[in-house]
Amino acid sequence: MNTLNEKSEKPSPFSSFQVGPLKLRNRFIKAGANEGMTPEGMPTKALVKHHRDIAAGGVGMTTVAYGAVSAEGRTFKHQFYMSREVVRHLRVLTDAVHAEGAAACLQITHGGSFTMLKPEHGFPKTASSGFNAFGFLQGILWQKSMSETDMHRVAGEFAQAARMAQEAGFDAVEIHMGHGYLLNQFLSPLSNKRRDDYGGSVEARTRFPAMVLRRVKEAVGSRLAVTCKLNQTDAARGGIDAEQALVSARILESNGADMLTLSGGHNMYSPWALFGSPMPIDEMKAHARGLARIGPWALGLQQPKDLKFRELYFLESARQIRKAVSMPLALVGGVKSIASAERAMAEGFEVIALARALIHDPAFVNKLAAGQIGQSGCNSCNRCVMGIYDPLGVRCIFNGPNDPIIAKALPAD
C-alpha cells in the first residue's frame, strides 16, 4: 500500500514516477476531456497545438480524449475513431508532445447507447435492452442488449485501437470506464439490468470491462502503459458508489491495469458531479435543438441548488479505493493549487489528473514548480465545456477565442 503519512516520505508532485513500462517526468497528467477539435472526425492543428502547449507547460503526460474504437462507438459525429487515416495525423500530435518532453496518452472508448448517431441497422447496443433515455432526445428511442459475440467483437476493437495508438506514437492508453459510456453502462446498476454472467453482482458487472482490459494488455501491455478511468461514484441514487467501485478496482488490478484514474459523475444523471460545480445551463439551452432542449431543462431541475466548487471533491470516496488496492492511482477532482497537489500525494495518490486548470493556463505546472503561482486562476465556471459544441473547440472564455484558421486545418503530414 502506498499510503504515506510521514512528511519525510511524502513524494513531491514534481518527482518522476513509473506507470507500467512508462516513466513520467512528474506526477501531473492532463486528464482526458473532450477537446471538440476534430471536425469531420479528423484531428486538426488546433488539437496538436492544444496538447503541445500543455506539454510545454510542464505536465508529465497529456491525454487526448475520446478516441472511439469504431465508427459506431462515437457519441458525436465530429469525434474521431481509430483508423489508418487518423493514425498518421495523430502521429503529428505525439511527435509535438514528445518534443516538449512529455508523454502522450490516448483515451479509447465506446459510447454504447450514449450516442447521437443512429446506427445503420437496429438500435445502439449496450448492457441491457429497453428505452434509451439519452437516445430519446436524438430520436433514438430504443437500445439493444449486447450478446457475448458483440462483447468479444468490441473487446477486439479496443485492442485494435490500442495497437493503432502505438503506431501513432502514444506512450499509454486509457480505457474509459466512466461517465455513462459503454463500459460504465455495464459497471453501473443504473443501466445494467442483465440476469446472465454479466449482470447482478459487482463482480459480474465488471466481467466485460475486465475482458476489454485483458485484450488491450495482450495487444500492447509490454509496450504501452494501460490505464483505466473508473467511476468511483455515479453520484446518482442506485448507481455506483465507492463500495462497489473498490470491488471493480480490485478486479482491474488483478487483470493487469497499470493505473486507475478515479473520476465520478454520469453524463445523463449527474453531469455536474464530473466538475464539482454548476453546469452552464443557459449556454447549454442556447446550443440545444429540437427534443434535445429537454436535456438542459431537466438538468436545471436536477442540479443541486447549493452546489459550490471545492478542491479535491472526490477525495472522500477515493480514500476507500486507496485502502483497497496497492496499484497506482490518479486522483481527479478539481486540483487547482500546490497545496491540494501536495495533499493528494500525502493521502497516497501517486498521480494528479487535472483539466480545467490547464485549459485556463497550459503553463500551470511550470508556474507551480517555479513558485510563480500557488493557485490556478480558473473559477470553475465550466463554460469551457461548451467548446465541445463549438467548431473552434474548447477554450477558457477568459483567454479569448481560438484561432479559426488553425482550428479548421488538418495537421500537415
Side-chain angles (χ1 to χ4, degrees):
M1 188 69 63
N2 280 324
T3 301
L4 303 172
N5 296 316
E6 296 297 327
K7 187 174 181 179
S8 61
E9 296 178 353
K10 181 181 68 174
S12 164
F14 303 105
S15 63
S16 62
F17 186 69
Q18 194 79 24
V19 181
L22 173 63
K23 187 173 183 178
L24 301 178
R25 64 181 175 183
N26 61 46
R27 311 298 186 96
F28 291 97
I29 65 174
K30 164 65 170 63
N34 199 333
E35 303 95 345
M37 296 176 181
T38 55
E40 305 304 320
M42 295 300 294
T44 58
K45 289 184 177 179
L47 186 68
V48 174
K49 182 179 186 302
H50 177 73
H51 287 283
R52 181 181 59 233
D53 288 350
I54 288 171
V59 297
M61 181 166 70
T62 185
T63 305
V64 177
Y66 209 108
V69 300
S70 65
E72 73 172 15
R74 295 171 297 166
T75 293
F76 306 109
K77 181 180 179 181
H78 64 257
Q79 289 172 330
F80 73 92
Y81 66 94
M82 295 305 288
S83 67
R84 295 296 171 192
E85 179 67 12
V86 165
V87 163
R88 63 190 182 92
H89 293 303
L90 289 176
R91 187 78 201 207
V92 178
L93 187 154
T94 59
D95 286 347
V97 168
H98 292 151
E100 301 295 346
C105 176
L106 177 64
Q107 184 183 78
I108 53 176
T109 192
H110 192 297
S113 61
F114 189 73
T115 180
M116 294 182 173
L117 307 177
K118 294 182 179 180
E120 290 185 14
H121 306 286
F123 305 106
K125 293 183 178 179
T126 180
S128 302
S129 297
F131 179 68
N132 185 354
F134 178 77
F136 167 75
L137 303 178
Q138 321 303 325
I140 310 170
L141 273 61
W142 307 104
Q143 57 192 20
K144 183 174 175 56
S145 176
M146 290 177 71
S147 67
E148 285 201 59
T149 299
D150 293 327
M151 291 180 216
H152 284 284
R153 173 180 54 80
V154 170
E157 291 171 349
F158 271 92
Q160 179 63 15
R163 283 189 286 266
M164 288 187 179
Q166 181 189 352
E167 291 179 30
F170 285 95
D171 308 285
V173 290
E174 179 183 75
I175 305 170
H176 202 332
M177 299 184 178
H179 304 169
Y181 298 109
L182 177 63
L183 299 183
N184 176 261
Q185 289 161 26
F186 274 81
L187 287 166
S188 177
L190 291 171
S191 46
N192 188 337
K193 310 298 182 183
R194 301 175 75 103
R195 297 182 179 180
D196 61 4
D197 291 343
Y198 298 91
S201 68
V202 181
E203 291 82 358
R205 286 184 269 122
T206 309
R207 185 166 280 118
F208 175 48
M211 177 200 301
V212 169
L213 170 60
R214 288 195 303 274
R215 293 288 295 274
V216 172
K217 285 287 290 186
E218 290 166 2
V220 300
S222 63
R223 298 176 295 280
L224 304 187
V226 178
T227 74
C228 304
K229 176 170 276 189
L230 182 70
N231 263 23
Q232 55 192 306
T233 173
D234 286 338
R237 181 175 295 181
I240 294 169
D241 57 23
E243 290 185 4
Q244 296 175 59
L246 68 84
V247 175
S248 294
R250 286 171 176 157
I251 294 170
L252 297 174
E253 180 176 37
S254 69
N255 280 273
D258 293 315
M259 182 173 72
L260 301 183
T261 298
L262 300 180
S263 188
H266 194 289
N267 286 324
M268 269 293 293
Y269 300 101
S270 55
W272 60 85
L274 277 70
F275 306 102
S277 55
M279 299 296 291
I281 292 174
D282 288 342
E283 286 88 345
M284 295 174 74
K285 288 178 178 177
H287 280 82
R289 298 290 182 271
L291 286 174
R293 294 173 181 168
I294 297 173
W297 172 79
L299 174 60
L301 296 178
Q302 295 174 309
Q303 183 168 269
K305 304 303 180 188
D306 59 350
L307 182 63
K308 293 183 180 179
F309 177 83
R310 61 183 178 88
E311 289 194 62
L312 299 172
Y313 50 83
F314 285 133
L315 180 58
E316 289 80 3
S317 53
R319 282 178 179 144
Q320 298 182 53
I321 300 172
R322 176 69 287 170
K323 293 175 182 177
V325 297
S326 59
M327 66 188 303
L329 298 177
L331 182 64
V332 176
V335 172
K336 295 201 299 183
S337 65
I338 188 62
S340 288
E342 291 175 344
R343 184 179 178 189
M345 295 285 103
E347 293 271 357
F349 298 96
E350 293 88 350
V351 175
I352 299 156
L354 60 166
R356 285 169 293 178
L358 296 172
I359 293 171
H360 175 71
D361 184 358
F364 177 58
V365 173
N366 278 345
K367 290 178 180 178
L368 288 182
Q372 296 177 350
I373 60 172
Q375 179 83 33
S376 170
C378 170
N379 68 358
S380 304
C381 71
N382 297 327
R383 291 168 70 185
C384 58
V385 177
M386 299 311 299
I388 65 175
Y389 306 108
D390 189 325
L392 302 185
V394 164
R395 67 181 179 87
C396 177
I397 63 166
F398 300 108
N399 293 344
N402 291 330
D403 186 330
I405 297 176
I406 292 177
K408 295 178 181 178
L410 291 176
D413 290 324

